[in-house]
Amino acid sequence: MNRMAPVQHFLARHWEQLIVPLCVLAVTLAVGYAAKRLMVRLLRPWAARSKGPTAQIVINAVKGPFMIWVLILSTHLAMQSSDLPPRATLWIGRILLALWILSLTVVSSRLAGGLIRLRGSGIPGALPVTTLTQTLAQLAVVILGLLVLLNLWGVSITPILTALGVGGLAVALALQDTLSNLFAGFYVAVAGQVRLGDYIRLNTGEEGYVTDIGWRSTTIRPLANNMIIVPNSKLGQAIVTNFYLPDKRVGVSIQIGVAYDSDPDHVERVLLEEAQIAAREIPGMLADPAPEVRFDPGFGDWALGFTLGYNVAEFRDQFRVRHELRKRILKRLRQEKIDMPFPTRTVYVRGQGEP
C-alpha cells in the first residue's frame, strides 16, 4: 500500500487549501530575510566596538544558518495554517526537527573552533591552537549532534557502536600510516615541545617556523619563505632543536683574527667596547647578558684568534646583527691600527749541500 496515497489524494482534491500556507511561508521567508539584514547591520557596530574578535566569531557562526532557521519557522507556521493529513504533518515535523538539530550542530562546531582558536592563543600554557586541535573539537561537537539526532529519531546507537568496534580493527590495519600521523600530531600538540610560531631545526636539516600542525603533517616555513611539509610520524621520531625554548634568546659568536704583533689586551678591550656600543644601537642585539671576548681559538697559523660572544632576541636576528657588527669591528680595528692579516706561509728553500 502506498503510504503517500493520502497526501496525493489531498493535493489532488484540495489544492486550493494550500494557498494560505504558501502565502504564510512566503511572507515569513521575506520577513526573515529582512530580519537577517537588519541583524547584520546592527551587530556590525557592536563587533567593531568589541575589544576582541569574539563578537565577530559569533556573528560569522550564526549568519550562515540563520536563513535555515527562518525556513524551519516558516514551514512550521505554514503547517499550522493548513489541513494536511496527520501522516504528512508527522513526517514534515521530523524533517524540520532533524534540520534544526543539524543547523545547531553546525553553529556549535563553528563556535567551538573559533573560540578554541581565540582562547587558546591568549592563555599561557594552553594547548597549541593548531588545525588538529580545532578539528578534534569540531568533530566532537558533530558526533554529539549526530547522536542526539539518532536518539530523537528512535535509532539505537548500541548496535552502531558494536559494529564500529568490530570494524575498528580492519580500519586500523588499512589506515596504519594515516592513524600514525594522526596520533603523532596529537602527541606533538599536547607535549608542548613544538608550538606554533617556534623556530625549529630537524636532525635531517629542515628548519623554519612552525605554521601549523594538522592531522597528517606539520607545516614549516623557512626564512626563504617557502613551505616544508613534514609528516607527523617523521616529526615525532626526529631529533628537534627548538630555538624558542626555553626562551627565544639565542647565543651567537663571531671570530676575529689579528696580526701576531698586536697586543691581546688592547684587542680584547677594543672588541668589547665595540660590542657594548653595538648592543645599545643594533636592533635585536641584547645588552643583557653582556657580550664577552675570549682569546680563543688563540694561536692560529697566521693570526691571533679572538671569539666575540653575544646574544640576540631571537633566531632570525642573528643574521642582521652579525652583518652590522662585522662592519663596526672592521672600522674600529682600522681606526686602532690593528691589522687583520691575510693567510700567509713562510717557505724556507735550502740549497744542495746546506744542512
Side-chain angles (χ1 to χ4, degrees), residues 62-290:
V62 175
K63 183 171 61 175
F66 186 84
M67 288 306 299
I68 298 179
W69 298 340
V70 173
L71 176 62
I72 294 173
L73 177 61
S74 60
T75 306
H76 175 72
L77 294 178
M79 287 175 53
Q80 296 299 320
S81 60
S82 67
D83 295 326
L84 288 176
R87 185 179 297 275
T89 304
L90 176 62
W91 279 101
I92 294 176
R94 288 184 176 182
I95 294 174
L96 293 180
L97 178 61
L99 194 60
W100 171 255
I101 294 176
L102 289 177
S103 63
L104 286 181
T105 302
V106 171
V107 172
S108 301
S109 177
R110 291 180 178 178
L111 286 176
L115 293 178
I116 285 178
R117 181 175 63 252
L118 173 64
R119 301 303 180 189
S121 59
I123 300 176
L127 293 179
V129 185
T130 63
T131 299
L132 178 61
T133 306
Q134 298 178 53
T135 301
L136 291 177
Q138 293 175 335
L139 182 61
V141 174
V142 171
I143 292 176
L144 181 60
L146 292 178
L147 292 178
V148 172
L149 180 61
L150 292 175
N151 183 58
L152 291 176
W153 276 71
V155 179
S156 177
I157 63 174
T158 302
I160 298 177
L161 296 178
T162 304
L164 291 176
V166 174
L169 179 61
V171 173
L173 292 176
L175 302 176
Q176 292 185 37
D177 294 339
T178 301
L179 293 178
S180 175
N181 287 322
L182 176 62
F183 287 108
F186 181 73
Y187 169 76
V188 170
V190 171
Q193 298 172 342
V194 176
R195 307 164 302 179
L196 291 184
D198 287 356
Y199 194 95
I200 65 172
R201 177 183 296 160
L202 307 184
N203 61 327
T204 52
E206 295 84 2
E207 64 178 72
Y209 292 97
V210 179
T211 58
D212 189 25
I213 302 177
W215 63 271
R216 180 188 174 276
S217 61
T218 296
T219 305
I220 300 175
R221 178 177 57 83
L223 296 178
N225 204 32
N226 44 22
M227 183 181 295
I228 300 175
I229 300 175
V230 182
N232 291 331
S233 58
K234 300 295 183 182
L235 180 63
Q237 298 174 1
I239 299 175
V240 181
T241 302
N242 192 332
F243 292 94
Y244 275 27
L245 290 178
D247 55 56
K248 295 183 179 182
R249 177 172 55 87
V250 178
V252 190
S253 64
I254 58 176
Q255 294 185 355
I256 303 98
V258 298
Y260 259 90
D261 58 356
S262 303
D263 181 6
D265 294 330
H266 183 211
V267 175
E268 180 180 356
R269 184 172 61 254
V270 168
L271 293 177
L272 189 59
E273 290 177 358
E274 198 61 34
Q276 292 172 347
I277 297 174
R280 297 191 297 266
E281 298 178 355
I282 300 179
M285 185 174 177
L286 301 180
D288 184 23

